[in-house]
């Protein structure tokens, strides 16, 4: 991959509006009612999620994602929001794929919980 492509990809990665928080949350990308791909949420912002998984999804793809979202006030409790995101970019790294996604549909209560995580940094 030429250096200019990597630079452009890094700029796309950093183009998200607002702050984001690094996290490590279990996730699943639902392919259909009987199958899914395991993933990991590696960062969150008010606008979307950074995901890592073993499968690439093309830019523009709509993903149905289930995450294990710890309660920011009591980390022994979890919420399991049903999210819909759009893939904004994907990059291959170390045999896995890192994707930047933007929320397409999210429950307002879950969005508020995610924003609490972002504010905590």
């Amino acid at each position: 991959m030429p250096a200019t492509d990597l630079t452009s990809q890094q700029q796309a990665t950093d183009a998200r509006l607002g702050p984001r928080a690094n996290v490590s949350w279990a996730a699943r990308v639902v392919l259909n009612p009987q199958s899914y791909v395991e993933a990991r949420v590696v960062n969150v912002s008010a606008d979307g999620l950074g995901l890592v998984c073993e499968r690439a999804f093309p830019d523009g793809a709509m993903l149905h994602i289930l995450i294990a979202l710890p309660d920011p006030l009591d980390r022994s409790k979890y919420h399991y929001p049903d999210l819909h995101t759009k893939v904004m970019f994907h990059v291959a790294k170390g045999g896995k794929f890192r994707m930047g996604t933007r929320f397409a549909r999210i429950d307002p209560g879950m969005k508020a919980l995610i924003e609490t995580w972002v504010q905590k940094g």
Side-chain angles (χ1 to χ4, degrees):
M1 177 186 251
T4 55
D5 289 345
L6 187 57
T7 302
S8 297
Q9 202 60 256
Q10 186 62 40
Q11 289 169 344
T13 301
D14 295 335
R16 263 190 287 173
L17 299 174
R20 58 183 167 240
N22 293 325
V23 298
S24 182
W25 300 337
R28 290 181 172 173
V29 178
V30 179
L31 303 175
N32 61 53
Q34 289 82 34
S35 66
Y36 58 86
V37 174
E38 293 289 346
R40 197 110 202 120
V41 177
V42 294
N43 64 55
V44 294
S45 73
D47 299 321
L49 306 171
L51 294 173
V52 173
C53 72
E54 295 182 359
R55 177 174 168 179
F57 294 91
D59 295 358
M62 296 299 289
L63 303 181
H64 178 192
I65 301 174
L66 303 173
I67 67 173
L69 172 62
D71 189 290
L73 302 177
D74 181 353
R75 294 184 188 195
S76 70
K77 295 181 182 174
Y78 285 83
H79 303 272
Y80 299 95
D82 191 357
L83 307 171
H84 293 266
T85 66
K86 180 178 181 179
V87 176
M88 304 308 290
F89 73 88
H90 67 281
V91 178
K93 185 175 183 179
K96 295 196 178 213
F97 296 90
R98 185 177 185 118
M99 294 175 287
T101 69
R102 180 166 289 152
F103 295 125
R105 189 173 79 210
I106 183 172
D107 175 78
M110 289 301 114
K111 185 170 174 69
L113 277 176
I114 288 172
E115 288 175 354
T116 300
W117 275 103
V118 173
Q119 291 168 4
K120 289 180 105 170

